[in-house]
Amino acid sequence: MVDLTQVNIDKIAELFPNVITEARDEQGKIKRAVDFDLLKQELSDVLVEGEKERYQLTWPGKKQAILNANTPIDKTLRPVKEDSVDWDNTQNLYIEGDNLEVLKLLQESYLNKIKCIYIDPPYNTGKDFVYKDDFSMSGNEYQGESGQVDEAGNRLFQNTETNGRFHSDWLTMMYSRIKVAKNLLKDDGVIFISIDDNEVFNLRKICDEIFGSTNFIANVIWHKKYATANDAKYFAEMHDHILVYRKSDSFMRNLLPRTDKQNSLYKYDSNDGRGPWRPDNLSVKTYSAEYDYPIINPNTGKIYNPPKGRCWVTNKDTMEKWINEGRVFFGQKGDGAPQLKRYLNEVQDGVVPPTYWSYEECGHNDESRKEIKMLFEQPPFDTPKPTRLIRRILQLSTNANTDDIVLDFFSGSATTAHAVMQQNSEDSGNRRYIMVQLPEPTSENSEAYKAGYKNICEIGKERIRRAAKKIKEETGADIDYGFRVFRVDSSNMKDVYYTPDNLKQGDMFDLASNIKEDRTGEDLLIQVMLELGLELSLPMETKQLEGKTVHYVAGNSLIACFDDNVPESVMKQIAAEHPLRVVFRDSSFEDDSARINVEELFKMLSPGTEIQVL
């Protein structure tokens, strides 16, 4: 008989894997259950109280983390063309701002579109800056509490071990970001997260909740140093962890390219037309009585049985066929124990990735510093990752012949963007990247500050420019070397647009326009694209029609005009393009009558067009 309760729990688990826990039934047996307090929080826009003892990772602020992830924000992205490279043609993005806010802003445009996420977040060592997500706290209040606000008003603080919420603040910060980021992953997408021993176990627990423990793939150990530190108090720390989680079982990892060293093992050739081969074990540990039989050496008549507790790799009939075909090797003189001839052309075209990544294959910390030193005379960033490490991740998770999008929302010095360009230049790939970084101020005593880099974003953007130039000079590859820059800012709309009921008599002048005076048509266009779910890398074009500025996105996918008093003749020209969507501002119409006329005009000339007015 079907247990409908468990069926319903399975359905809830598909939507909210983090609310599935373990609990004891009336007989005291452990069973799979729903944490209804957490489920209530997922379905509520206010903080829900109530807690029961259960098996789970919990901390002060966990519900706040869920609330932070689900709370909408009144922000937008503004284009920064002067910092961009090849704006009109590039499909890469660099976004400045609090990454939780950015991830929320990208929810419509990049929902289920990201193939690979790599992040190298603060390791919570007591020296890193951690993001503060209490959006209800004013800037002055927060500054008074923490003393840390960057030039854009973003909230951050140094999470020292003396803080009573040392682990809790870090977990709250990470939980909300990973939870929102999961929505951006494709069904066959994957996330890689670098971390050290301080928080690896807590991070794995929150990822188990967010992605579901069945979607855990690996805990990769990266050997990040080649020299032991003899001044270590207890043990010399030589490795980092990289946790790997898939979005769903649709994810298929790639094989790693075979190396010359691996191929060199196939050094024998029997001139049988099958090419080089190497000897391999004929027995396996998984025992089967059918595969346990004697093999007779046809040259000596000697009998060989599989080692105790093991059996041969196949049944007796197939083994005899292999021996007749010359696929079994009995030693150089023909008088030895049987071995399998493993032919190179019959092995899979690649290598299954191990969970240990050596610095010989994936680089080390010193290599990463040398890489950035080759681009800058005085390295402005202390802790980058080597590009070989990120390229290993790209090889396993992305494909050259697709437009896979790679997201890094703790981008730091933009190593991931550098690695994407390197990998594309090697295999003629079309991978795209989205870098997100908080404009964290550089210390006034740092080399970066002295070199003119006032925040980390300035370092990241300049690294991409210099790396692109170097890769182009060295390879000549025809790839995308540009990037569009966007910056998080307050909404383009005045408060009256969102809360008209709060309008007071003294605010009547706001009715003249619901758009802030310092915002341009391009600012409004980006906000519209985000709201409509259009990718920010789509081609954009601006034309002048009878003196009015008209914006085109991806041909006729979206046409927008934000000028005042747009004449009907311009409206007709726009309608003639048969756009999928058109957007105007309220002041584009002389009066309500003109607005009604335009709606009728589009019904006649382009009935399939969706009309929106700001």
Side-chain angles (χ1 to χ4, degrees), residues 164-223:
R165 290 168 49 90
F166 178 64
H167 291 288
S168 297
D169 281 338
W170 187 86
L171 285 166
T172 299
M173 183 272 292
M174 290 298 297
Y175 194 98
S176 55
R177 284 160 175 78
I178 296 174
K179 181 172 169 49
V180 178
K182 177 191 174 186
N183 298 331
L184 301 180
L185 279 175
K186 299 173 66 175
D187 286 341
D188 62 348
V190 63
I191 184 170
F192 295 77
I193 309 175
S194 285
I195 196 68
D196 68 357
D197 286 329
N198 287 292
E199 295 287 1
V200 62
F201 299 108
N202 284 336
L203 180 61
R204 181 162 176 181
K205 289 298 294 181
I206 64 176
C207 285
D208 280 348
E209 285 193 14
I210 293 169
F211 291 95
S213 59
T214 57
N215 288 317
F216 169 75
I217 294 179
N219 178 3
V220 173
I221 301 301
W222 168 49
H223 192 171

Coordinates of all heavy atoms in Angstrom, one line a residue, residues 164-223:
G164 N 31.0 36.7 19.4 CA 30.3 35.6 19.9 C 29.5 34.8 18.9 O 29.1 33.7 19.1
R165 N 29.3 35.4 17.7 CA 28.6 34.7 16.6 C 29.6 34.4 15.5 O 29.2 34.5 14.3 CB 27.4 35.6 16.1 CG 26.3 35.7 17.1 CD 25.4 36.9 16.6 NE 25.0 36.7 15.2 CZ 24.0 36.1 14.8 NH1 23.2 35.5 15.6 NH2 23.7 36.0 13.5
F166 N 30.8 34.0 15.8 CA 31.8 33.9 14.8 C 31.4 32.9 13.7 O 31.5 33.3 12.5 CB 33.1 33.3 15.6 CG 34.2 33.1 14.6 CD1 34.9 34.1 13.9 CD2 34.7 31.8 14.5 CE1 35.9 33.8 13.1 CE2 35.8 31.5 13.6 CZ 36.4 32.5 12.9
H167 N 31.0 31.7 14.1 CA 30.5 30.8 13.0 C 29.1 31.1 12.5 O 28.9 31.0 11.3 CB 30.5 29.3 13.6 CG 31.8 28.8 13.9 ND1 32.7 28.4 12.9 CD2 32.5 28.5 15.1 CE1 33.8 27.9 13.4 NE2 33.7 28.0 14.7
S168 N 28.3 31.6 13.4 CA 26.9 31.9 13.0 C 26.8 33.0 11.9 O 26.1 32.9 11.0 CB 26.1 32.3 14.2 OG 26.0 31.3 15.1
D169 N 27.6 34.1 12.1 CA 27.5 35.2 11.1 C 28.0 34.7 9.7 O 27.5 35.0 8.7 CB 28.4 36.3 11.6 CG 27.7 37.2 12.6 OD1 26.4 37.1 12.7 OD2 28.4 37.9 13.4
W170 N 29.1 33.8 9.8 CA 29.6 33.3 8.5 C 28.6 32.4 7.8 O 28.4 32.5 6.6 CB 30.9 32.6 8.8 CG 31.6 32.2 7.5 CD1 32.5 32.9 6.8 CD2 31.5 30.9 6.9 NE1 32.9 32.2 5.7 CE2 32.3 30.9 5.7 CE3 30.8 29.7 7.1 CZ2 32.5 29.8 4.8 CZ3 30.9 28.6 6.3 CH2 31.7 28.7 5.1
L171 N 28.0 31.5 8.6 CA 27.0 30.6 8.1 C 25.8 31.3 7.5 O 25.3 30.9 6.5 CB 26.6 29.6 9.1 CG 27.6 28.5 9.5 CD1 27.2 27.8 10.8 CD2 27.7 27.5 8.4
T172 N 25.3 32.3 8.3 CA 24.2 33.1 7.8 C 24.5 33.8 6.4 O 23.7 33.8 5.5 CB 23.8 34.2 8.8 OG1 23.5 33.5 10.0 CG2 22.6 35.0 8.3
M173 N 25.7 34.3 6.4 CA 26.1 35.0 5.1 C 26.2 34.0 4.0 O 25.7 34.2 2.9 CB 27.5 35.6 5.3 CG 28.1 36.4 4.1 SD 29.0 35.4 3.0 CE 30.5 35.0 3.9
M174 N 26.8 32.8 4.2 CA 27.0 31.8 3.1 C 25.6 31.2 2.7 O 25.4 30.9 1.5 CB 28.0 30.8 3.5 CG 29.4 31.2 3.6 SD 30.1 31.8 2.0 CE 30.0 30.3 1.1
Y175 N 24.8 30.8 3.7 CA 23.6 30.1 3.4 C 22.7 30.9 2.5 O 22.2 30.3 1.5 CB 22.8 29.9 4.8 CG 21.7 28.9 4.7 CD1 21.9 27.5 5.0 CD2 20.4 29.2 4.2 CE1 20.9 26.6 5.0 CE2 19.4 28.3 4.1 CZ 19.6 27.0 4.5 OH 18.6 26.1 4.4
S176 N 22.5 32.1 2.7 CA 21.5 32.9 1.9 C 22.1 33.0 0.5 O 21.3 32.9 -0.5 CB 21.3 34.3 2.5 OG 22.5 35.0 2.7
R177 N 23.4 33.2 0.3 CA 23.9 33.4 -1.0 C 23.9 32.1 -1.9 O 23.5 32.1 -3.0 CB 25.4 33.9 -0.9 CG 25.4 35.4 -0.6 CD 26.7 35.8 0.0 NE 26.7 37.3 0.2 CZ 26.1 37.9 1.2 NH1 25.4 37.2 2.1 NH2 26.1 39.2 1.2
I178 N 24.3 31.0 -1.2 CA 24.2 29.7 -1.9 C 22.8 29.3 -2.3 O 22.5 28.8 -3.3 CB 24.9 28.6 -1.1 CG1 26.4 28.9 -0.9 CG2 24.8 27.2 -1.8 CD1 27.1 28.0 0.0
K179 N 21.9 29.6 -1.4 CA 20.5 29.3 -1.6 C 19.9 30.0 -2.8 O 19.2 29.4 -3.7 CB 19.7 29.6 -0.3 CG 18.2 29.3 -0.4 CD 17.5 29.5 0.9 CE 16.0 29.5 0.8 NZ 15.4 28.4 0.1
V180 N 20.2 31.3 -2.9 CA 19.8 32.1 -4.1 C 20.5 31.6 -5.4 O 19.9 31.5 -6.4 CB 20.0 33.6 -3.8 CG1 19.5 34.4 -5.1 CG2 19.1 34.0 -2.6
A181 N 21.8 31.4 -5.2 CA 22.6 31.0 -6.4 C 22.1 29.7 -7.0 O 22.2 29.5 -8.2 CB 24.1 30.8 -6.0
K182 N 21.6 28.8 -6.2 CA 21.1 27.5 -6.7 C 20.1 27.7 -7.8 O 20.0 26.9 -8.8 CB 20.5 26.6 -5.6 CG 19.9 25.3 -6.0 CD 19.1 24.7 -4.9 CE 18.4 23.4 -5.4 NZ 17.5 22.8 -4.4
N183 N 19.2 28.7 -7.6 CA 18.2 29.0 -8.6 C 18.7 29.3 -10.0 O 18.1 29.1 -11.0 CB 17.3 30.1 -8.2 CG 16.6 29.8 -6.9 OD1 16.3 28.7 -6.6 ND2 16.3 30.8 -6.1
L184 N 19.9 29.8 -10.0 CA 20.5 30.2 -11.3 C 21.1 29.0 -12.1 O 21.3 29.1 -13.3 CB 21.6 31.3 -11.1 CG 21.2 32.6 -10.4 CD1 22.4 33.5 -10.2 CD2 20.0 33.3 -11.1
L185 N 21.4 28.0 -11.4 CA 22.1 26.8 -12.0 C 21.1 26.1 -13.0 O 19.9 26.0 -12.7 CB 22.6 25.8 -11.0 CG 23.9 26.1 -10.3 CD1 24.1 25.0 -9.3 CD2 25.0 26.1 -11.3
K186 N 21.6 25.7 -14.1 CA 20.8 24.8 -15.0 C 20.6 23.5 -14.3 O 21.3 23.1 -13.3 CB 21.6 24.6 -16.3 CG 21.9 25.8 -17.1 CD 22.8 25.6 -18.3 CE 22.1 24.7 -19.3 NZ 22.9 24.5 -20.6
D187 N 19.7 22.7 -14.8 CA 19.4 21.4 -14.2 C 20.7 20.5 -14.3 O 20.9 19.7 -13.4 CB 18.2 20.7 -14.9 CG 16.9 21.3 -14.5 OD1 16.8 22.0 -13.5 OD2 15.9 21.1 -15.3
D188 N 21.5 20.7 -15.3 CA 22.7 19.9 -15.4 C 23.9 20.8 -15.0 O 25.0 20.5 -15.4 CB 22.9 19.4 -16.9 CG 23.1 20.6 -17.9 OD1 22.8 21.7 -17.5 OD2 23.5 20.3 -19.0
G189 N 23.7 21.7 -14.1 CA 24.7 22.6 -13.6 C 25.4 22.1 -12.4 O 24.9 21.1 -11.7
V190 N 26.5 22.7 -12.0 CA 27.3 22.2 -10.9 C 28.0 23.4 -10.2 O 28.2 24.5 -10.8 CB 28.4 21.2 -11.4 CG1 29.3 21.9 -12.3 CG2 29.1 20.6 -10.2
I191 N 28.2 23.3 -8.9 CA 28.9 24.4 -8.1 C 30.1 23.8 -7.5 O 30.1 22.7 -7.0 CB 28.0 25.0 -7.1 CG1 28.7 26.2 -6.4 CG2 27.5 24.0 -6.1 CD1 27.8 27.0 -5.5
F192 N 31.2 24.5 -7.6 CA 32.5 24.2 -6.9 C 32.8 25.3 -5.9 O 32.8 26.5 -6.2 CB 33.7 24.1 -7.9 CG 33.6 23.0 -8.9 CD1 32.7 23.2 -10.0 CD2 34.3 21.9 -8.8 CE1 32.6 22.2 -11.0 CE2 34.3 20.9 -9.8 CZ 33.4 21.0 -10.8
I193 N 33.1 24.9 -4.6 CA 33.3 25.9 -3.6 C 34.6 25.6 -2.9 O 34.8 24.6 -2.3 CB 32.2 25.9 -2.5 CG1 30.8 26.0 -3.2 CG2 32.4 27.1 -1.5 CD1 29.6 25.9 -2.2
S194 N 35.6 26.6 -3.0 CA 36.8 26.4 -2.3 C 36.7 26.8 -0.8 O 35.9 27.8 -0.5 CB 37.9 27.4 -2.9 OG 38.4 26.9 -4.1
I195 N 37.3 26.0 0.1 CA 37.2 26.3 1.5 C 38.4 25.6 2.2 O 39.0 24.7 1.7 CB 35.8 25.8 2.1 CG1 35.5 26.4 3.5 CG2 35.8 24.3 2.1 CD1 35.2 27.9 3.4
D196 N 38.7 26.1 3.4 CA 39.8 25.4 4.2 C 39.1 24.6 5.3 O 37.9 24.4 5.4 CB 40.8 26.4 4.7 CG 40.3 27.3 5.7 OD1 39.1 27.3 6.1 OD2 41.1 28.1 6.2
D197 N 40.0 24.1 6.2 CA 39.5 23.2 7.3 C 38.6 23.9 8.3 O 37.8 23.3 9.0 CB 40.6 22.6 8.1 CG 41.3 21.5 7.2 OD1 40.6 20.9 6.4 OD2 42.5 21.3 7.4
N198 N 38.6 25.3 8.4 CA 37.9 26.0 9.4 C 36.4 25.8 9.3 O 35.7 25.6 10.3 CB 38.2 27.5 9.3 CG 39.6 27.9 9.8 OD1 39.8 27.8 11.0 ND2 40.4 28.3 8.9
E199 N 35.9 25.8 8.1 CA 34.4 25.7 7.9 C 33.9 24.7 7.0 O 32.8 24.6 6.6 CB 33.9 27.1 7.4 CG 34.1 28.2 8.4 CD 33.1 28.2 9.6 OE1 32.3 27.2 9.7 OE2 33.2 29.1 10.4
V200 N 34.8 23.8 6.5 CA 34.5 22.8 5.5 C 33.3 21.9 5.9 O 32.4 21.6 5.1 CB 35.7 21.9 5.1 CG1 36.2 21.1 6.2 CG2 35.3 21.1 3.9
F201 N 33.3 21.5 7.2 CA 32.2 20.6 7.6 C 30.9 21.3 7.8 O 29.8 20.8 7.4 CB 32.6 19.9 8.9 CG 33.8 19.1 8.8 CD1 35.0 19.5 9.4 CD2 33.8 17.9 8.0 CE1 36.2 18.7 9.2 CE2 35.0 17.2 7.8 CZ 36.2 17.6 8.4
N202 N 30.9 22.6 8.3 CA 29.7 23.4 8.3 C 29.2 23.7 6.9 O 28.0 23.7 6.6 CB 29.9 24.7 9.1 CG 30.0 24.5 10.6 OD1 29.4 23.5 11.1 ND2 30.7 25.4 11.3
L203 N 30.1 24.0 6.0 CA 29.7 24.3 4.6 C 29.1 23.1 4.0 O 28.1 23.2 3.2 CB 31.0 24.8 3.8 CG 30.7 25.2 2.4 CD1 29.7 26.3 2.3 CD2 32.0 25.5 1.7
R204 N 29.6 21.9 4.2 CA 29.1 20.8 3.6 C 27.6 20.5 4.1 O 26.8 20.1 3.4 CB 29.9 19.5 3.9 CG 29.4 18.3 3.2 CD 30.4 17.2 3.1 NE 29.8 16.0 2.6 CZ 30.4 14.8 2.4 NH1 31.7 14.7 2.6 NH2 29.7 13.8 1.9
K205 N 27.4 20.8 5.4 CA 26.1 20.6 6.0 C 25.1 21.5 5.4 O 23.9 21.1 5.0 CB 26.1 20.8 7.5 CG 26.8 19.6 8.3 CD 26.1 18.3 8.1 CE 24.7 18.3 8.7 NZ 24.1 17.0 8.5
I206 N 25.4 22.8 5.2 CA 24.5 23.7 4.6 C 24.2 23.4 3.1 O 23.1 23.6 2.6 CB 24.8 25.2 4.8 CG1 26.1 25.6 4.1 CG2 24.9 25.5 6.3 CD1 26.5 27.1 4.3
C207 N 25.3 22.9 2.4 CA 25.1 22.6 1.0 C 24.2 21.3 0.9 O 23.4 21.2 0.0 CB 26.4 22.3 0.4 SG 27.3 23.8 0.0
D208 N 24.4 20.4 1.9 CA 23.5 19.2 1.9 C 22.0 19.6 2.0 O 21.1 19.1 1.4 CB 23.9 18.3 3.1 CG 25.1 17.4 2.8 OD1 25.5 17.3 1.6 OD2 25.6 16.8 3.7
E209 N 21.8 20.7 2.8 CA 20.4 21.1 3.0 C 19.9 21.8 1.8 O 18.8 21.6 1.3 CB 20.4 22.1 4.2 CG 20.4 21.5 5.6 CD 20.1 22.5 6.7 OE1 19.5 23.5 6.3 OE2 20.3 22.2 7.8
I210 N 20.7 22.6 1.2 CA 20.3 23.5 0.0 C 20.1 22.6 -1.2 O 19.1 22.7 -2.0 CB 21.2 24.6 -0.2 CG1 21.1 25.6 1.0 CG2 20.9 25.4 -1.5 CD1 22.2 26.7 1.0
F211 N 21.1 21.8 -1.5 CA 21.1 21.0 -2.7 C 20.5 19.6 -2.5 O 20.1 18.9 -3.5 CB 22.5 20.9 -3.3 CG 23.1 22.1 -3.8 CD1 23.9 22.9 -3.1 CD2 22.8 22.6 -5.1 CE1 24.4 24.1 -3.5 CE2 23.3 23.8 -5.6 CZ 24.1 24.5 -4.8
G212 N 20.5 19.1 -1.3 CA 20.1 17.7 -1.0 C 21.4 16.9 -1.0 O 22.2 17.0 -1.8
S213 N 21.5 16.1 0.1 CA 22.7 15.3 0.3 C 23.0 14.4 -0.9 O 24.2 14.0 -1.2 CB 22.7 14.5 1.6 OG 21.6 13.6 1.5
T214 N 22.0 13.9 -1.6 CA 22.2 13.0 -2.8 C 22.9 13.7 -3.9 O 23.4 13.1 -4.9 CB 20.9 12.4 -3.3 OG1 20.0 13.5 -3.6 CG2 20.2 11.6 -2.2
N215 N 22.9 15.1 -3.9 CA 23.6 15.8 -5.0 C 25.0 16.2 -4.7 O 25.6 17.0 -5.4 CB 22.7 17.1 -5.3 CG 21.5 16.7 -6.1 OD1 21.5 15.8 -6.9 ND2 20.4 17.3 -5.7
F216 N 25.5 15.7 -3.5 CA 26.9 15.9 -3.2 C 27.7 15.0 -4.2 O 27.4 13.8 -4.4 CB 27.2 15.5 -1.8 CG 28.7 15.3 -1.5 CD1 29.5 16.5 -1.3 CD2 29.3 14.1 -1.4 CE1 30.8 16.3 -1.0 CE2 30.6 13.9 -1.1 CZ 31.4 15.1 -0.9
I217 N 28.8 15.6 -4.8 CA 29.6 14.8 -5.8 C 30.9 14.4 -5.2 O 31.3 13.3 -5.2 CB 29.8 15.6 -7.1 CG1 28.4 15.7 -7.8 CG2 30.8 14.9 -8.0 CD1 28.5 16.5 -9.1
A218 N 31.6 15.4 -4.6 CA 33.0 15.1 -4.2 C 33.5 16.2 -3.2 O 33.0 17.4 -3.3 CB 34.0 15.0 -5.3
N219 N 34.4 15.8 -2.4 CA 35.2 16.8 -1.6 C 36.6 16.6 -2.1 O 37.4 15.7 -1.8 CB 35.2 16.5 -0.1 CG 36.0 17.4 0.7 OD1 36.7 18.3 0.2 ND2 36.1 17.1 2.0
V220 N 37.0 17.5 -3.0 CA 38.3 17.5 -3.7 C 39.4 18.1 -2.8 O 39.1 19.2 -2.2 CB 38.3 18.2 -5.0 CG1 39.7 18.3 -5.6 CG2 37.3 17.5 -6.0
I221 N 40.5 17.4 -2.7 CA 41.6 18.0 -1.9 C 42.6 18.6 -2.9 O 43.1 17.8 -3.8 CB 42.3 16.9 -1.1 CG1 41.3 16.3 -0.1 CG2 43.5 17.5 -0.3 CD1 40.7 17.3 0.9
W222 N 42.8 19.9 -2.8 CA 43.8 20.5 -3.7 C 45.1 20.8 -2.9 O 45.1 21.5 -1.9 CB 43.2 21.8 -4.2 CG 44.3 22.7 -4.9 CD1 45.2 22.3 -5.9 CD2 44.5 24.1 -4.7 NE1 45.9 23.4 -6.2 CE2 45.6 24.5 -5.5 CE3 43.9 25.0 -3.8 CZ2 46.0 25.8 -5.6 CZ3 44.4 26.4 -3.9 CH2 45.4 26.7 -4.7
H223 N 46.2 20.2 -3.4 CA 47.5 20.4 -2.8 C 48.0 21.8 -3.2 O 48.6 21.9 -4.2 CB 48.5 19.3 -3.2 CG 49.7 19.2 -2.5 ND1 50.6 18.2 -2.6 CD2 50.3 20.1 -1.5 CE1 51.7 18.4 -1.8 NE2 51.5 19.5 -1.2

